[in-house]
Amino acid sequence: MCTYVPNPPSIFNCSKTLDVLVLLNAPLSLNTHSTYFCLKKDWKLMSTSTFCCGKLYISEARNKFALESIERAAKQFPDAPIVNEFKDETYNRVGYTLVSLSSDSLKNAVFSMAKAAYEVIDLDLHTGSHPRLGVVDHICFHPLAATSLEQAATIARAIAKEVGSMLKVPCYTYGAARKDQRSLDAVRRELGYYKPNASGQQWSGGLQAAVLPLEPDEGPAQVVKAKGVVVIGATKWVDNYNVPVFCSDIGTVGRIARRVSGRGGGLASVQSLALVHDNNVIEVACKMLEPSEVGGEQVQGLVEELGAQACVKVGKGYFTDLSPDAIVQTYFKLTSSS
């Protein structure tokens, strides 16, 4: 299905010639779940080998020097700019979103950021209220526009091979990056991701096991505590949505989170977890695997309903990243001015 915008206003100019979409004096019109951009009159659609989004979740948000070093590494690849950053100091975690029309640029930018992170962050010294398995905890790729999921998976597999062989970090792949389509959740459960190892529902220090309970797909079989392990995959678009609950009882909010998730009999394709935040707030952190079918409004409504039953106040939730439409528009704005 294609969506056309009649007489769209001019927001930015973009005249890229890298066998990609060329936008002429018009904003981007993108149906998130379509495989095509729809252009009107002056817009030209050109074939592209890849148009992908890469996301890195790194276990650091409090060390300004470390974050600056990681972001500086990305700037070596202007064709793969950072289009969004989500930083949470309580979780001590940052998420970066990069986009590129070049698979090589995207892969190289992601690898460069990961390498910088391992150089400036010691997982043994890390503490936060968000689970994590490594300095670079998670890397995922999502196809945009007409790019196939397999093209995104190719980048994921290449990154896993390089991180494993060059940075000597055990790598686990998931989703389209594996033949068996193993899920991210399945990997995390086998590695004990969801179990806090410190008081106050905190995760602290490096991985304790010298021998990993699951054989890595790439990299060494032994883990260095200062680095941890990384999970790398490719899937279609996923939304992350967090809902604050004004309550200090992790048991109460944990029960709400379980009832929201598909695993707990709640919303299909939703995974959820109760995470301690700050000022007597615990968040129901939700991953929506099929956001076109179950989105933020449904999650918000169910958390509010369950909160009312538990006699706790529920705040307005928020997405941790831009929408695919906004990501693409931001990308073209950034690259058209460079």
Side-chain angles (χ1 to χ4, degrees):
M1 177 180 178
C2 292
T3 302
Y4 289 94
V5 180
N7 302 316
S10 177
I11 293 182
F12 57 92
N13 244 315
C14 181
S15 57
K16 294 292 177 181
T17 58
L18 303 174
D19 289 332
V20 298
L21 182 68
V22 178
L23 305 178
L24 301 174
N25 297 312
L28 184 65
S29 175
L30 170 65
N31 183 319
T32 303
H33 306 289
S34 170
T35 57
Y36 297 95
F37 285 110
C38 302
L39 308 176
K40 182 168 175 68
K41 206 167 182 178
D42 291 333
W43 299 8
K44 299 178 182 178
L45 185 61
M46 302 174 69
S47 62
T48 174
S49 57
T50 57
F51 192 10
C52 284
C53 161
K55 299 187 180 185
L56 290 86
Y57 296 92
I58 295 173
S59 302
E60 182 58 71
R62 303 168 187 168
N63 185 329
K64 184 178 178 181
F65 168 78
L67 298 181
E68 287 176 346
S69 296
I70 294 165
E71 291 162 18
R72 190 161 51 247
K75 291 179 180 178
Q76 301 174 63
F77 306 94
D79 285 343
I82 296 173
V83 298
N84 190 60
E85 171 190 326
F86 177 75
K87 182 172 63 175
D88 191 299
E89 292 191 7
T90 301
Y91 291 154
N92 204 5
R93 181 180 179 88
V94 62
Y96 293 106
T97 302
L98 297 86
V99 177
S100 185
L101 291 155
S102 163
S103 59
D104 285 342
S105 292
L106 183 59
K107 176 177 70 69
N108 292 337
V110 169
F111 179 83
S112 183
M113 293 178 76
K115 182 175 183 290
Y118 290 119
E119 290 171 350
V120 296
I121 299 170
D122 184 341
L123 192 65
D124 251 347
L125 304 178
H126 180 274
T127 297
S129 63
H130 195 290
R132 77 288 190 279
L133 293 168
V135 166
V136 182
D137 181 59
H138 178 205
I139 300 174
C140 56
F141 295 92
H142 306 295
L144 298 170
T147 298
S148 70
L149 182 55
E150 177 54 31
Q151 287 172 300
T154 298
I155 304 174
R157 288 190 288 266
I159 280 285
K161 187 174 291 292
E162 290 189 4
V163 170
S165 63
M166 299 172 67
L167 303 183
K168 307 302 180 186
V169 176
C171 300
Y172 297 91
T173 56
Y174 74 92
R178 277 181 63 98
K179 288 184 178 179
D180 64 3
Q181 301 282 308
R182 175 176 65 184
S183 71
L184 172 62
D185 183 61
V187 178
R188 285 174 162 175
R189 288 185 183 280
E190 287 205 51
L191 294 174
Y193 178 83
Y194 298 106
K195 299 175 182 177
N197 65 357
S199 61
Q201 293 292 306
Q202 299 283 309
W203 282 261
S204 182
L207 295 184
Q208 301 303 311
V211 179
L212 293 166
L214 186 65
E215 183 179 355
D217 297 300
E218 300 288 351
Q222 292 76 37
V223 61
V224 175
K225 288 179 66 178
K227 293 182 177 181
V229 305
V230 60
V231 185
I232 303 173
T235 68
K236 56 187 177 180
W237 186 260
V238 171
D239 270 333
N240 292 294
Y241 186 78
N242 296 348
V243 184
V245 179
F246 299 95
C247 173
S248 58
D249 182 5
I250 189 67
T252 297
V253 184
R255 286 188 290 273
I256 292 173
R258 280 192 294 275
R259 293 179 63 187
V260 167
S261 71
R263 187 183 178 92
L267 298 170
S269 73
V270 172
Q271 298 171 348
S272 53
L273 179 68
L275 297 176
V276 173
H277 207 250
D278 51 10
N279 298 323
N280 292 321
V281 172
I282 300 174
E283 292 191 333
V284 178
C286 300
K287 185 181 293 292
M288 295 174 288
L289 304 179
E290 299 283 353
S292 63
E293 298 176 9
V294 180
E297 288 187 8
Q298 292 100 314
V299 168
Q300 182 73 39
L302 183 53
V303 175
E304 289 178 358
E305 177 185 332
L306 296 173
Q309 294 175 13
C311 301
V312 293
K313 183 180 177 182
V314 174
K316 177 62 178 173
Y318 60 92
F319 290 95
T320 64
D321 204 349
L322 303 174
S323 68
D325 300 53
I327 283 173
V328 174
Q329 290 202 30
T330 302
Y331 167 79
F332 278 109
K333 289 178 183 178
L334 289 172
T335 55
S336 65
S337 61
S338 61

